[in-house]
Amino acid sequence: MVGLPARGKSLIATKVVRYLHWLSITAKTFNVGQYRRTATPTPSADFFDTTNPEGERLRRAAAEAAVNDMCKWFRDGKGLVAILDATNSSKTRRKWIQERCQAENIETLFVESKCDDEDIIMQNILDVKTTSPDYAGQDPELAAADFRNRIRNYEKVYETIDETNERNLTYVKLIDVGKQVIINQIKDYLQSRVVYYLMNLHIKPRSIWLSRHGESQYNLTGQIGGDASLSDRGELYARKLPELVQQSVGDGRKLTVWTSTLKRTIQTARFLEFEKLEWKALDELDSGVCDGLTYGQIEEKYPDDFAQRDEDKYNYRYLGGESYRDVVIRLEPIIMELERSENILIVTHQAILRCIYAYFMNVPQERSPWMEVPLHTLIKLTPKAYATMEERLKADIPAVSTFREKGSRAKHQEAQEAAQEAHDKQKA
Amino acid sequence: MVGLPARGKSLIATKVVRYLHWLSITAKTFNVGQYRRTATPTPSADFFDTTNPEGERLRRAAAEAAVNDMCKWFRDGKGLVAILDATNSSKTRRKWIQERCQAENIETLFVESKCDDEDIIMQNILDVKTTSPDYAGQDPELAAADFRNRIRNYEKVYETIDETNERNLTYVKLIDVGKQVIINQIKDYLQSRVVYYLMNLHIKPRSIWLSRHGESQYNLTGQIGGDASLSDRGELYARKLPELVQQSVGDGRKLTVWTSTLKRTIQTARFLEFEKLEWKALDELDSGVCDGLTYGQIEEKYPDDFAQRDEDKYNYRYLGGESYRDVVIRLEPIIMELERSENILIVTHQAILRCIYAYFMNVPQERSPWMEVPLHTLIKLTPKAYATMEERLKADIPAVSTFREKGSRAKHQEAQEAAQEAHDKQKA
C-alpha cells in the first residue's frame, strides 16, 4: 500500500484480503504500524516528524521487521498474497521494498490511495481517533488534533508514485476512491483480478438485503434442486415481502431486486415494486444426479457420496453437478457487480445465499456450507469500514426447516411427514 | 476514440464491437474517415494540414455527418453502443462530441490510444499503406511516406486528454497498448466491462489452438452430456495429438493447455507435455434432464422441446440445463483470460468450442450453434489486425459425426449402429 494516513489504505487491504480468501487464495496483511507499536505504543505526532532521528530510526526498524516477516511468510509457503500496509510514501522506501521483493522472487503491485477530498479524509480521521490503538484511552478531540499533525508530518515527505521515474513499477493509483484509476505494467492474471476489484470499490453508504425464496413445493416434500413453484406458505411470504422490505429499507429509498432464473425466486419477488433483474448465476447449486431427490433418497442411492459430502461439503461436487467452490467461481461477477452497486435486494437459494453471505461476513470456507439461513427471513447487510453490520427480520410465516446438520438427514427429513400432512390438508 | 493515426484505434474499435456482439450487445462503428471519403476519396497529406481551410471544412463536415447518423441510430433504437472512430484529437472536438451526446442522453466513454513506441507505429503504418482505401492503387512506398506526413499534420494539433481540464469526461487512456492505463470517472457496469476488456488486450503475435476431445464412449452410443471416457479411436487421437500439435506449433514454442473438468478432455490432453489447467467453465453445455439421452430419445420424450430447440438453438435452455446464451456468459472469463494470454491450446467440447470460435471468427449468434466442428481435428486461430486466420489439421483417425442438422436427428443417430458395431468389434 502507498498513501498518506487516513486515505483508506487499511480498509482497502481488509477488503482485498477478504475477497481473496473468498476465492480460496491465502492472503495476509502485514501492518507496519502494529510492529512500530510494540516499541512505541502511543506515539505523539512528533514521533512522525522526519527531523526526529529517533522516531525515524524506530519507524524504519518497524518496516524492516514487517518486511522480514512477510518474506519469511512467503518462503514458508504460507500464502500467495501479502499486503504490506504502511504509508510507503517515499520513492526511496518503495525502491527498497521493490528490491527486497525482487531478491525473494516476489512480484510486487503497489496500490496507492490518493485522496484530496476533505470530507472523505475527515471521515477517516474521525474513524481513526475512535478506533486506532495509537489513541487508546485518550480524549477523542485531542486524538483527532494529534492525528492531523501526524498527517502533516507525512505530507512533508510524501511523494506520490511518479508516472515517469517509477514507470517500471507495477502499480495502481486510486484517486479519490475510484474517481480516477491509473494502472501501470500489470503483468499477470491475479494482478489484473485485484485491480479490477479495486476499480469497482466505492464508499457510498448502502445496504444489501438477502432473502431466500418463499417455501417451495419441493421444500415440503424434502426434495432438493428442481424448479418447483411456491407452497401456499411460500406464497404468503411473497405477499408479505413488500411490507418487510419497506420496514427495513424505509421510505423513498430506491433499490434493485435480483433473482435467479428459477420460478421460486421470481415468484417470491413478484410483488416488489422495484426494478428486477434475473441472473442465471444466482441459480441454486446444481445437485446433478441428485436433483429432485430427498436427502434420505440420496443417502440410500449414493451412500458414499452422502458421507463424502459431509466430510468436505465445500469441495464436494455432486455427480454431474457443482460444489460450493464451483458456485463461488460463478458468483464472482455477482460480487463484483454488488461492489459497484448501491442498494440491492437479492432473492435467491440457500447455497447461493450462504456464499454471498460468507463474502460479506468473512465466514471461513469450512463453515459457510453449514450456516443456517432460515426461510421467510430478510437479512440486511450494511458494509462499514472494517466489518459488515447485520440485521435479520423474520416474517411471521411458518416454513419447514431445510437445514441439515453434519452427519444427519435431519430436520429437513423429520419435518417432511408433518409438512406433507399440512400440505395435503391445505390442498383438501 | 481518441488518438493520432496509426495508433490502432480502428483495431480497438473492431475488437470491442466483436466482443459486444458476442455478448449480445448491439454495437456499431461510425468511421469518420469513411464519411470523409465520399467527398474526398484519395486525399494527399495536404488535405490534413490544419492551415488548409477547405480540408478543414470537409473534415468537419464528415465528423458532423457521422455524429448525426450515430445519434439517429440511437434514436431509432438500433443498438446500445456506438463507436465514433476518428482522431478526435483536440479538446474542442471532444467537447463538441460530449455536448452533442449529452443533448441526446447518450453516455460517453472516450478511449484514447496513445503510443510512442516507434515499432508499433511503423507496423501500423505498414498495415495502413497496404489496406487503407485512401491509398487504393497507389505505390506502397509513396503511400507510406504520404501517410507519415498526414500523421505529422495531426501531431501539430493533437492534444492528449487532459487529466485536469478534461477530468469531468469519462475516459480511458491506453498508453503503449496496455503498458499503462488511466481510467477516469467510470459510471456504469457496461463501461466497467469494456474498460476491463481494453485493459486485457495485447498485440504480441500468438495463436490459439482448439480441439474437441477424442471420440468418447457416449459419442459411439449417440448419447449427449455425461462424463464418459474416450473410445478406442478417441484414445488413438489422444496419442496422436502431441504430434499434431508439434506440427502446427513448431519447435520450441511454449504453450499452455486448458481442458474442462470432464474425463474426455483430460484424457485427450494427457500426453501433451505442456503445463495444463482444468476449467469448470469449459465443461460441456449442461443438457439438464436430457443428459445421457440420445437425440432420438429426446425427440421421443420431449418432442416439443426438441422442436423448440431447432427453432432458436441459441436461446433454447434445456430443462434444468443451459442455453448457448448461458454458456457465453460463463465463458466470458475464459475469453478475457485468452485475450491476456499468449499461446493456448484448448481441449473442450462441441458447444463450448463453437462459442469460443464464434468470438474469434465473429460468427453471428443464430449460426454459431449450427457450426460443424469435427472430432479429431486441430484448429489453429491466429488473430491479425482486422481478422483471425484459421488453419485446420485433421488427424487421420475416423470418428462418428456428432453433428446434427436443423430438423434432423441425423448423422449422429444414423452413424450410431455402424459405430456401435465397430466398437463391439474393437472390444472383441
Side-chain angles (χ1 to χ4, degrees), chain A residues 56-83:
Chain A
E56 185 75 3
R57 195 185 62 79
L58 287 169
R59 286 185 295 125
R60 170 89 200 193
E64 294 219 353
V67 168
N68 286 340
D69 280 3
M70 182 185 81
C71 290
K72 187 174 178 316
W73 183 81
F74 275 119
R75 250 181 274 125
D76 295 348
K78 292 251 178 82
L80 209 60
V81 180
I83 301 186

Side-chain angles (χ1 to χ4, degrees), chain B residues 182-194:
Chain B
I182 300 174
I183 298 163
N184 193 64
Q185 301 272 26
I186 293 299
K187 283 184 187 117
D188 63 35
Y189 179 63
L190 193 53
Q191 287 176 349
S192 118
R193 297 304 314 175
V194 169

Side-chain angles (χ1 to χ4, degrees), chain B residues 201-320:
Chain B
L201 297 184
H202 71 78
I203 49 159
K204 290 182 209 127
R206 54 86 174 255
S207 293
I208 290 142
W209 287 266
L210 304 173
S211 172
R212 292 177 61 189
H213 53 80
E215 184 188 71
S216 78
Q217 300 287 352
Y218 262 34
N219 292 150
L220 288 180
T221 51
Q223 290 166 276
I224 66 168
D227 190 12
S229 289
L230 295 182
S231 72
D232 294 341
R233 296 190 300 197
E235 182 65 21
L236 280 180
Y237 179 67
R239 290 179 187 277
K240 176 93 176 184
L241 192 54
E243 189 190 317
L244 223 56
V245 169
Q246 207 275 333
Q247 200 179 325
S248 177
V249 174
D251 286 322
R253 229 161 134 195
K254 249 182 64 176
L255 53 82
T256 306
V257 180
W258 296 356
T259 67
S260 76
T261 67
L262 298 169
K263 275 185 231 149
R264 53 196 186 277
T265 66
I266 297 167
Q267 287 172 357
T268 304
R270 76 186 190 283
F271 299 111
L272 292 164
E273 287 185 346
F274 296 109
E275 194 192 330
K276 287 179 200 109
L277 214 63
E278 288 174 24
W279 291 82
K280 176 86 181 159
L282 289 174
D283 281 3
E284 181 56 312
L285 185 146
D286 181 355
S287 45
V289 294
C290 296
D291 191 83
L293 303 182
T294 66
Y295 285 123
Q297 288 167 332
I298 297 172
E299 194 180 2
E300 215 171 277
K301 280 182 95 162
Y302 306 98
D304 291 352
D305 280 84
F306 191 78
Q308 253 183 49
R309 185 156 200 257
D310 267 14
E311 214 144 282
D312 185 359
K313 197 172 174 188
Y314 189 81
N315 289 301
Y316 174 77
R317 181 181 281 159
Y318 276 108
L319 286 168

Side-chain angles (χ1 to χ4, degrees), chain A residues 171 179-185 187-189 192-193 196 199 261 280 286 317 321 326 337 340, chain B residues 171 179-185 187-189 192-193 196 199 280 286 317 321 326 337 340:
Chain A
Y171 67 80
K179 251 195 218 156
Q180 191 176 81
V181 181
I182 299 174
I183 299 162
N184 194 62
Q185 300 274 25
K187 284 185 186 114
D188 63 33
Y189 180 63
S192 119
R193 297 304 312 176
Y196 186 54
M199 267 170 61
T261 67
K280 175 87 182 159
D286 181 354
R317 182 181 280 160
D326 293 331
E337 199 38 24
R340 286 194 58 76
Chain B
Y171 66 81
K179 251 195 220 157
Q180 191 177 81
V181 181
I182 300 174
I183 298 163
N184 193 64
Q185 301 272 26
K187 283 184 187 117
D188 63 35
Y189 179 63
S192 118
R193 297 304 314 175
Y196 185 55
M199 267 170 61
K280 176 86 181 159
D286 181 355
R317 181 181 281 159
D326 293 331
E337 199 39 22
R340 286 193 58 76

Side-chain angles (χ1 to χ4, degrees), chain A residues 371-400:
Chain A
M371 281 187 297
E372 187 162 6
V373 190
L375 285 166
H376 300 179
T377 305
L378 183 66
I379 301 175
K380 178 185 180 182
L381 300 179
T382 308
K384 296 278 175 192
Y386 293 95
T388 304
M389 278 173 48
E390 175 179 357
E391 293 165 60
R392 292 194 181 205
L393 214 59
K394 276 184 189 295
D396 190 18
I397 299 166
V400 297

Side-chain angles (χ1 to χ4, degrees), chain A residues 153-384:
Chain A
N153 278 323
Y154 272 104
E155 276 168 352
K156 286 180 211 155
V157 293
Y158 175 57
E159 297 165 307
T160 182
I161 295 178
D162 186 320
E163 286 162 45
T164 310
N165 282 327
E166 294 181 274
R167 68 171 178 277
N168 290 324
L169 294 184
T170 293
Y171 67 80
V172 51
K173 208 186 266 208
L174 306 165
I175 299 166
D176 289 338
V177 210
K179 251 195 218 156
Q180 191 176 81
V181 181
I182 299 174
I183 299 162
N184 194 62
Q185 300 274 25
I186 293 300
K187 284 185 186 114
D188 63 33
Y189 180 63
L190 193 52
Q191 288 176 349
S192 119
R193 297 304 312 176
V194 169
V195 165
Y196 186 54
Y197 180 73
L198 292 171
M199 267 170 61
N200 284 321
L201 297 184
H202 71 78
I203 49 160
K204 290 181 209 128
R206 54 83 174 257
S207 294
I208 290 141
W209 288 265
L210 304 172
S211 171
R212 292 177 61 191
H213 53 80
E215 185 187 70
S216 77
Q217 301 287 353
Y218 261 36
N219 293 148
L220 288 179
T221 52
Q223 291 166 276
I224 66 169
D227 190 12
S229 288
L230 295 181
S231 73
D232 294 343
R233 296 192 300 197
E235 182 65 22
L236 280 180
Y237 179 68
R239 289 178 188 278
K240 177 94 175 182
L241 193 53
E243 190 190 316
L244 223 57
V245 169
Q246 207 276 333
Q247 201 179 325
S248 176
V249 174
D251 286 322
R253 227 162 135 197
K254 250 182 65 176
L255 54 82
T256 307
V257 180
W258 296 355
T259 67
S260 76
T261 67
L262 297 169
K263 276 186 230 148
R264 53 197 187 278
T265 67
I266 296 168
Q267 287 173 356
T268 304
R270 76 186 191 281
F271 300 111
L272 293 163
E273 286 184 345
F274 297 109
E275 194 192 331
K276 287 179 201 108
L277 215 61
E278 288 173 25
W279 291 82
K280 175 87 182 159
L282 289 173
D283 282 3
E284 181 56 311
L285 185 147
D286 181 354
S287 45
V289 294
C290 296
D291 192 84
L293 303 182
T294 66
Y295 285 122
Q297 290 167 333
I298 297 172
E299 196 179 1
E300 213 170 279
K301 282 182 92 162
Y302 307 97
D304 291 352
D305 280 83
F306 191 77
Q308 253 183 50
R309 185 156 201 256
D310 267 13
E311 215 143 283
D312 185 359
K313 196 171 174 188
Y314 189 80
N315 288 302
Y316 174 78
R317 182 181 280 160
Y318 277 108
L319 286 168
E322 290 179 303
S323 64
Y324 272 83
R325 182 180 294 278
D326 293 331
V327 168
V328 159
I329 290 169
R330 77 156 139 103
L331 280 178
E332 217 219 338
I334 297 275
I335 293 298
M336 219 50 110
E337 199 38 24
L338 272 177
E339 284 295 350
R340 286 194 58 76
S341 306
E342 300 192 24
N343 298 312
I344 303 286
L345 162 59
I346 305 178
V347 181
T348 182
H349 308 264
Q350 180 163 257
I352 308 306
L353 206 151
R354 280 174 176 151
C355 293
I356 297 173
Y357 183 92
Y359 169 76
F360 283 104
M361 304 303 284
N362 213 359
V363 182
Q365 275 173 14
E366 61 279 12
R367 242 181 50 217
S368 64
W370 296 105
M371 281 187 297
E372 187 162 6
V373 190
L375 285 166
H376 300 179
T377 305
L378 183 66
I379 301 175
K380 178 185 180 182
L381 300 179
T382 308
K384 296 278 175 192

Side-chain angles (χ1 to χ4, degrees), chain B residues 21 29 132 141 149 170 184 197 218 230 284 338 358 381 395 407:
Chain B
H21 278 172
T29 299
S132 168
E141 287 312 308
N149 284 332
T170 293
N184 193 64
Y197 179 73
Y218 262 34
L230 295 182
E284 181 56 312
L338 272 178
L381 300 179

